[in-house]
Amino acid sequence: WPAAHFPVPHRRCSAAMGGGDMTVDELLAKAEKKMTTTLTRWKPDYESAMLYFDEAATKLKQAGRRQEAMIAWEKCAEANERTGNDWHAGKHLEQCAQLAKDLKQHDQVVAYAERACAAYVSAGRAQRGAECLGKTARLIDEAAPDDAYALAIKACTMLEDDDKASYARDFYSLAGAIRMRQEMFAEAAETMLRFGASCDAGEAHASLRKAYLSAIVAHLYAGDGAEAQSCYADVSDVQSFQDSEEQRCAYALVCAYRDGDGDAVASAIARSNALTFLDAPFARAARKLPRPGHDLKAISFAMGGDGGAAATGEHFMAGVGGGGGR
C-alpha cells in the first residue's frame, strides 16, 4: 500500500531530529533558532521548534528544574498556536499549570489554566476547556481557595452554556466545599441553589434534591434560620423536590429552628437518612446542628417564632408546601 494510506506518527526530537543526544541548552538553542528566520529560511519552522522545546521541557522536568521546564512548555504551546494546533497548545499549557502549582505560583496556575481553556475552545473543544478549569481548581483549592472557586464556577458556566450541565456536578460540589471550608456559608448555600437550578434544567432530580437540602443546611449551620426559612419557601414548590425525603428533612429542620427546639433539631437529623448522602462538608455540618453557641431563642424570634419549644411550626409552613413534614 502507498505510504499515504497510513497515519504519520507524531515526531519526537530524539527520533526524527537527533534531539535525544543533545543537552538541554542545545535543545533550547535549536528551538529558539527555529522560531526565527534566516537568510536561507524565510519562515520560522514552528513545528521543529515545538519538538525541540517539548524535548527540552521533558528533560528539565526530569532533572527537577521545574521553572525552566514550565517556560519551555509555554514556548512549546506558543509554537503550536502559531501552526494552528490549539489542541496540543492547550495540553502543554495544562502541563505549565501543573508545574506552576508545584512551584506554588498560584497566580500563574490560574493564568495558564485560562490560556489552556481558551486554546481548547479555539480547537472546538469547549468541554475539555471547562474540565481543564475544574481540574486546575482542584490543584489549588486549599492554597488559593478564592481562585479555585472562581475557576470551578467558570467551568460550570461553560458546561451549562454548552448544554452539558450534567458534567458540572463535581465542579459545583468542589465550589460548595470550598466555601464551606472558608466558613462562607451564605455563598456555599447560593452555590448549591445554583446547582439545584442547573439540575432542574437537566432533569437530574436526585442531585437537585441534595443540592437544595445542602443549601438549607448551610444557612442553619451559619445560624441564619430566617434565610434557611426563606430558602425553603423558595424551593418547596419545585416539583422534583416536593414529597421527597430531602424536602421532609428540610421541613423538619426549619420547623425545629423556628420552634427554638434543640431536641427537635436532633430528632430531625436522627430520623432522616437524606443528610448522610449529602456531599461531605454539608453532611458533616448537618451532624453538628444545632451548633454550640447559637442562640436558638434568638434564631426562633428572627424566624417569626415564639422563641420557645412550643412546636409552632405547623401553621408557619401551611402555605409553602410543607405539610407531612412533621
Side-chain angles (χ1 to χ4, degrees):
W1 290 91
H5 284 263
F6 297 92
V8 178
H10 186 70
R11 291 189 298 144
R12 299 285 297 179
C13 291
S14 56
M17 309 179 73
D21 298 326
M22 294 183 185
T23 67
V24 166
D25 289 339
E26 289 171 337
L27 287 166
L28 291 174
K30 279 277 192 180
E32 294 288 359
K33 186 175 180 180
K34 294 294 184 180
M35 293 286 282
T36 62
T37 58
T38 67
L39 292 175
T40 58
R41 187 178 63 249
W42 294 356
K43 294 182 180 180
D45 185 354
Y46 293 122
E47 183 178 351
S48 295
M50 178 270 295
L51 294 169
Y52 283 124
F53 278 130
D54 189 27
E55 190 77 11
T58 299
K59 290 187 174 184
L60 287 165
K61 182 182 177 183
Q62 290 171 346
R65 296 161 63 180
R66 293 187 179 90
Q67 180 71 35
E68 295 166 275
M70 183 176 70
I71 294 170
W73 262 319
E74 181 178 9
K75 290 184 176 181
C76 186
E78 291 170 355
N80 273 305
E81 288 173 332
R82 295 293 186 89
T83 61
N85 194 343
D86 293 311
W87 170 258
H88 281 95
K91 292 176 69 174
H92 287 122
L93 289 166
E94 277 196 88
Q95 290 174 297
C96 291
Q98 177 65 62
L99 289 172
K101 180 262 184 182
D102 295 340
L103 293 164
K104 302 186 187 305
Q105 299 176 7
H106 302 127
D107 289 346
Q108 286 291 87
V109 175
V110 175
Y112 281 128
E114 290 178 338
R115 286 177 61 189
C117 176
Y120 287 131
V121 170
S122 295
R125 301 293 293 274
Q127 180 180 343
R128 176 62 185 266
E131 290 170 346
C132 166
L133 296 181
K135 175 183 174 182
T136 304
R138 291 191 182 282
L139 295 179
I140 57 172
D141 65 328
E142 294 188 6
D146 288 334
D147 287 334
Y149 179 84
L151 288 175
I153 290 298
K154 185 175 180 180
C156 294
T157 300
M158 287 181 64
L159 289 166
E160 289 166 350
D161 290 346
D162 201 32
D163 294 326
K164 294 180 179 177
S166 61
Y167 294 94
R169 185 200 184 287
D170 288 347
F171 303 141
Y172 271 121
S173 295
L174 173 62
I178 290 169
R179 287 310 194 221
M180 288 293 285
R181 189 164 58 240
Q182 292 181 290
E183 299 188 356
M184 300 173 67
F185 305 122
E187 286 198 31
E190 183 61 32
T191 300
M192 290 297 100
L193 287 176
R194 177 174 168 177
F195 177 34
S198 177
C199 292
D200 194 24
E203 298 185 352
H205 303 311
S207 294
L208 174 148
R209 293 191 288 267
K210 293 176 185 178
Y212 286 160
L213 179 56
S214 296
I216 291 165
V217 165
H219 285 308
L220 294 176
Y221 194 70
D224 194 344
E227 194 60 38
Q229 177 175 283
S230 176
C231 180
Y232 178 85
D234 288 341
V235 303
S236 61
D237 287 335
V238 177
Q239 185 174 359
S240 53
F241 187 61
Q242 292 176 350
D243 298 322
S244 65
E245 176 61 23
E246 290 82 1
Q247 178 266 326
R248 287 187 286 272
C249 178
Y251 174 84
L253 286 172
V254 173
C255 283
Y257 268 85
R258 182 181 167 94
D259 292 347
D261 189 343
D263 290 339
V265 174
S267 177
I269 294 169
R271 289 199 314 265
S272 177
N273 289 326
L275 296 166
T276 305
F277 297 104
L278 301 183
D279 287 343
F282 298 96
R284 285 195 297 267
R287 288 195 295 269
K288 296 176 182 178
L289 296 177
R291 290 178 75 188
H294 281 179
D295 186 342
L296 288 181
K297 183 176 181 179
I299 293 172
S300 172
F301 282 135
M303 297 172 73
D306 65 2
T312 57
E314 282 291 344
H315 67 272
F316 147 64
M317 290 299 190
V320 289
R326 298 283 293 197

